């Protein structure tokens, strides 16, 4: 998804574009709801297809040209999703073999969501020669399988990718405004920077729905990386290991040329051709944007 020019460009600006805070999940666990148990009791799942190199967004067909139906809801083919007990705590294992997701049964709005992740070893077509990939899809609404990859709901994405945790992607006609700049005008990908004004990205904006995180704050290989997503009334914060890497507001989607607020929904965790582990998946409700982040939304 990301070309070498953009990667080199983002590396050159890392030192000046991030915010470090002390906002880690509260020690008072009574405020938090644990979303992961050994039975995945708070999640449903969806599986689409084993996608191959050369996939072009069209529905896959068999050797006779007959359209192949997606695997569908709550059919855990190839055990793509499983929970392993490690040192007495549940760890969600996503093999990535088939494009799809687990998604919360409950919808959420105005919350602080947190988890830890680390990568496994395996990759699958069509990403054998690409970075391992997954993601947190938030404000997820509607049916699964409506996106280009025929795997997910309409949503906003907090990217989970090797070297790119915290990037933003719009999903199925969504848009948002991000504090960012365009290094070489509209022909280049935007880069998050809290010192910049908000730029509109995604559907209906004339600008692609992608933005690079401000810097790479991921943990070393084989170590857990902590991600925090804070959402309040259409505003959101992407954090990696305690660093703010993106500030977003005015979450919305387009329907028949009409812009509609997108401020609540389910949370999806992607299976996207890369093996990944998640743990400590928790959420708590908030009644305002935390004070330490409120000033980031003032221009």
């Amino acid at each position: 998804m990301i070309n070498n020019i953009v990667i080199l460009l983002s590396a050159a600006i890392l030192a000046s574009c991030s915010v470090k805070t002390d906002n880690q999940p509260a020690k008072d666990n009574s405020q938090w709801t644990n979303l992961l148990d050994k039975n995945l009791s708070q999640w449903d799942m969806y599986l689409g297809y084993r996608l191959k190199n050369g996939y072009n967004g069209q529905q896959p067909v068999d050797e006779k040209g007959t359209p192949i139906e997606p695997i569908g809801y709550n059919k855990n083919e190839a055990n793509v999703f499983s929970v392993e007990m490690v040192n007495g705590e549940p760890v969600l294992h996503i093999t990535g073999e088939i494009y799809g997701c687990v998604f919360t049964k409950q919808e959420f709005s105005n919350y602080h969501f947190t988890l830890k992740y680390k990568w496994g070893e395996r990759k699958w077509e069509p990403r054998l020669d690409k970075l391992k990939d997954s993601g947190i899809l938030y404000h997820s609404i509607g049916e699964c399988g409506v996106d280009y990859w025929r795997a997910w709901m309409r949503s906003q994405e907090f990217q989970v990718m090797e070297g790119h945790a915290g990037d933003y992607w719009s999903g199925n006609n969504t848009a948002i405004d991000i504090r960012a700049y365009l290094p070489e005008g509209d022909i280049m990908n935007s880069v998050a920077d809290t010192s910049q004004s908000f730029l509109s990205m995604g559907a209906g904006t004339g600008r692609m729905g992608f933005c690079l995180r401000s810097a790479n704050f991921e943990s070393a290989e084989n170590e857990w990386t902590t991600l925090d997503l804070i959402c309040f009334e259409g505003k959101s914060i992407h954090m990696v290991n305690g660093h703010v890497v993106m500030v977003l507001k005015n979450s919305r989607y387009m329907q028949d040329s009409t812009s509609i607020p997108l401020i609540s929904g389910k949370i999806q965790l992607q299976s996207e051709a890369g093996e990944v582990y998640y743990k400590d998946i928790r959420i708590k409700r908030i009644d305002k944007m935390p004070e330490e982040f409120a000033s980031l939304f003032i221009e």
Side-chain angles (χ1 to χ4, degrees):
M1 293 180 183
I2 302 170
N3 59 46
N4 289 336
I5 293 175
V6 173
I7 294 173
L8 290 172
L9 178 63
S10 63
I13 60 170
L14 300 185
S16 62
C17 300
S18 67
V19 175
K20 178 67 170 71
T21 80
D22 294 323
N23 189 293
Q24 295 295 320
K27 293 181 179 179
D28 181 5
N29 289 327
S30 65
Q31 299 181 43
W32 293 84
T33 297
N34 180 19
L35 294 178
L36 183 62
D37 57 44
K38 64 181 180 180
N39 298 316
L40 276 176
S41 64
Q42 299 187 68
W43 302 78
D44 286 315
M45 63 184 67
Y46 180 86
L47 289 175
Y49 299 94
R50 292 176 172 85
L51 298 178
K52 301 298 182 182
N53 294 330
Y55 174 74
N56 61 3
Q58 300 300 310
Q59 184 174 4
V61 298
D62 63 19
E63 64 277 2
K64 296 181 179 179
T66 303
I68 300 171
E69 292 300 314
I71 294 168
Y73 291 96
N74 294 318
K75 298 176 182 177
N76 195 13
E77 186 169 316
N79 204 33
V80 170
F81 307 109
S82 62
V83 176
E84 305 168 359
M85 298 302 295
V86 180
N87 297 324
E89 64 177 336
V91 175
L92 173 61
H93 179 200
I94 301 177
T95 69
E97 180 179 355
I98 304 170
Y99 273 62
C101 61
V102 290
F103 58 93
T104 58
K105 294 179 179 180
Q106 183 178 347
E107 295 186 355
F108 299 99
S109 62
N110 299 335
Y111 58 83
H112 182 165
F113 176 79
T114 184
L115 56 68
K116 296 178 182 177
Y117 80 93
K118 69 176 180 179
W119 297 109
E121 298 296 325
R122 292 179 290 179
K123 293 191 289 186
W124 313 84
E125 286 191 53
R127 301 195 61 84
L128 288 173
D129 60 348
K130 298 178 176 64
L131 300 170
K132 295 188 184 79
D133 202 357
S134 182
I136 302 167
L137 306 184
Y138 59 103
H139 301 338
S140 304
I141 61 173
E143 296 297 318
C144 293
V146 298
D147 64 300
Y148 175 87
W149 301 100
R150 298 175 179 267
W152 307 304
M153 305 175 199
R154 173 176 286 160
S155 59
Q156 309 287 16
E157 179 171 356
F158 184 135
Q159 174 77 285
V160 181
M161 177 191 276
E162 290 179 298
H164 287 275
D167 288 357
Y168 166 79
W169 281 96
S170 65
N172 188 242
N173 242 22
T174 61
I176 208 161
D177 303 341
I178 305 175
R179 278 195 178 275
Y181 69 92
L182 298 171
E184 297 293 338
D186 288 353
I187 63 171
M188 298 293 287
N189 289 325
S190 53
V191 181
D193 182 346
T194 58
S195 70
Q196 300 295 309
S197 298
F198 284 94
L199 293 176
S200 294
M201 303 179 196
T205 68
R207 188 174 288 121
M208 74 175 296
F210 169 70
C211 185
L212 283 165
R213 77 288 180 272
S214 61
N216 180 358
F217 293 107
E218 296 157 41
S219 301
E221 187 175 0
N222 296 321
E223 295 184 6
W224 294 96
T225 295
T226 298
L227 305 181
D228 288 278
L229 168 65
I230 301 173
C231 298
F232 185 77
E233 298 298 333
K235 300 175 181 178
S236 52
I237 296 284
H238 293 187
M239 298 177 65
V240 180
N241 279 335
H243 296 264
V244 173
V245 298
M246 193 166 295
V247 178
L248 315 91
K249 71 174 184 178
N250 195 20
S251 175
R252 60 201 185 273
Y253 69 95
M254 298 298 295
Q255 182 170 302
D256 299 327
S257 301
T258 300
S259 178
I260 301 174
L262 182 62
I263 61 175
S264 65
K266 298 180 179 181
I267 298 172
Q268 306 172 78
L269 299 177
Q270 294 175 305
S271 173
E272 195 173 1
E275 185 179 30
V276 64
Y277 297 86
Y278 290 105
K279 71 174 185 176
D280 293 346
I281 306 174
R282 298 183 292 163
I283 196 167
K284 71 174 179 179
R285 180 173 173 79
I286 59 175
D287 56 13
K288 64 179 180 178
M289 180 61 66
E291 292 182 4
E292 58 265 45
F293 306 122
S295 64
L296 295 175
F297 294 93
I298 301 173
E299 293 193 87

